[in-house]
Amino acid sequence: AQTVTQSQPEMSVQEAETVTLSCTYDTSESDYYLFWYKQPPSRQMILVIRQEAYKQQNATENRFSVNFQKAAKSFSLKISDSQLGDAAMYFCAYRPSPNFGNEKLTFGTGTRLTIIP
Amino acid sequence: EPEVTQTPSHQVTQMGQEVILRCVPISNHLYFYWYRQILGQKVEFLVSFYNNEISEKSEIFDDQFSVERPDGSNFTLKIRSTKLEDSAMYFCASGNRGSNQPQHFGDGTRLSIL
C-alpha cells in the first residue's frame, strides 16, 4: 500500500520569505501523480500544484513550485514570497496511475503553515 | 468555474440516528469519491464510485455506510446508526480519469454526533 509522510507538523515563515514543506512517499509503482492541497481555516480542500511522475521537470504555479526527486521518493513544496493568505494546512497526496485502477488519493498528515507578518 | 457542492455545511445528529450527506459533483465528471477528516487528523479515503457502483472502499467504509447516485446528479453518503466516532468533516470529490484530471473537492460537511 502507498503511504505519504509529512514530517513537519508545523512550519512558520516571515511574510515575503520562502519556505519549503517536505513530503516523502512510498510506492512500488513507476507511474503515479503527486499533489499538494491547501486547507485554510474554512476547511476547503484547494489544489495547489500537481506533478506527474513521468515528467522530470518540476511543476510550478506562480509562487509555488515543487522539488520532485523520484529516486528518493521526495516531493517538497516551495512557497516563494509568502503571503498572509498562504497560512493554511498543507497536505501532500499521492494518486496511482489510471493504469492501476482506482484513482483514490492517499494523503499525508499535513503541515500547518503560519505566516508571520 | 464549475464546482462540487455539498449540503448541508453542518449536520448535528443524535447518536444512533441515520444521516444522509449530499453532494452534487461537477456535471461532466464520471468518478465520485467520499473522504473523511476527523478533527486534527489527515484526510482519509472512504469510497469511490463509478458507473453506478462502488469501485473501491476502505476499511472504514463498513456496513454502516452506503453510497448512492439516485438521480444522475446527486451523490449521497448515508450513515446508518451513527456513532460518536463518526463525527468528522466529510468531503465529496469528483473527477475524470487521466493524468491532467485532478479531483475537485467540495467544501465539506461537518458532521457532529451528540
Side-chain angles (χ1 to χ4, degrees), chain B residues 11-22 63-66 68 77-83 86 111 113:
Chain B
Q11 175 80 46
V12 181
T13 302
Q14 290 287 335
M15 185 174 62
Q17 296 296 306
E18 175 183 285
V19 65
I20 297 176
L21 309 183
R22 291 183 166 79
D63 292 343
Q64 179 195 12
F65 294 89
S66 62
E68 194 177 36
L77 174 69
K78 182 190 290 186
I79 310 174
R80 287 182 284 274
S81 189
T82 49
K83 300 178 254 191
D86 294 328
L111 178 62
I113 307 300

Side-chain angles (χ1 to χ4, degrees), chain A residues 5-42:
Chain A
T5 301
Q6 292 180 251
S7 59
Q8 304 155 315
E10 295 184 357
M11 291 282 285
S12 60
V13 63
Q14 291 278 350
E15 193 176 1
E17 296 295 307
T18 295
V19 64
T20 298
L21 309 184
S22 301
C23 172
T24 59
Y25 57 94
D26 187 28
T27 182
S28 57
E29 299 170 1
S30 59
D31 194 14
Y32 49 86
Y33 307 98
L34 297 164
F35 303 85
W36 279 97
Y37 281 87
K38 169 184 176 181
Q39 187 180 45
S42 61

Side-chain angles (χ1 to χ4, degrees), chain B residues 2-4 24-30 32 69 94 104:
Chain B
E3 38 181 53
V4 176
V24 179
I26 293 173
S27 61
N28 66 341
H29 285 179
L30 301 176
F32 313 111
R69 189 159 160 78
S94 69
H104 294 258

Side-chain angles (χ1 to χ4, degrees), chain A residues 27-64:
Chain A
T27 182
S28 57
E29 299 170 1
S30 59
D31 194 14
Y32 49 86
Y33 307 98
L34 297 164
F35 303 85
W36 279 97
Y37 281 87
K38 169 184 176 181
Q39 187 180 45
S42 61
R43 301 198 73 182
Q44 298 169 284
M45 291 291 287
I46 302 166
L47 177 66
V48 175
I49 198 166
R50 61 188 167 206
Q51 174 79 44
E52 292 92 336
Y54 64 85
K55 289 187 177 178
Q56 291 187 335
Q57 187 173 10
N58 289 322
T60 62
E61 287 285 342
N62 301 315
R63 298 183 294 107
F64 298 87

Side-chain angles (χ1 to χ4, degrees), chain B residues 15-63:
Chain B
M15 185 174 62
Q17 296 296 306
E18 175 183 285
V19 65
I20 297 176
L21 309 183
R22 291 183 166 79
C23 169
V24 179
I26 293 173
S27 61
N28 66 341
H29 285 179
L30 301 176
Y31 293 81
F32 313 111
Y33 306 84
W34 283 101
Y35 293 85
R36 180 182 82 174
Q37 185 183 32
I38 294 172
L39 186 63
Q41 298 186 22
K42 67 178 179 179
V43 179
E44 301 173 290
F45 169 77
L46 288 178
V47 65
S48 59
F49 193 86
Y50 169 71
N51 199 25
N52 282 321
E53 61 183 23
I54 291 173
S55 50
E56 185 173 348
K57 59 184 181 180
S58 71
E59 295 173 351
I60 303 167
F61 195 89
D62 59 21
D63 292 343

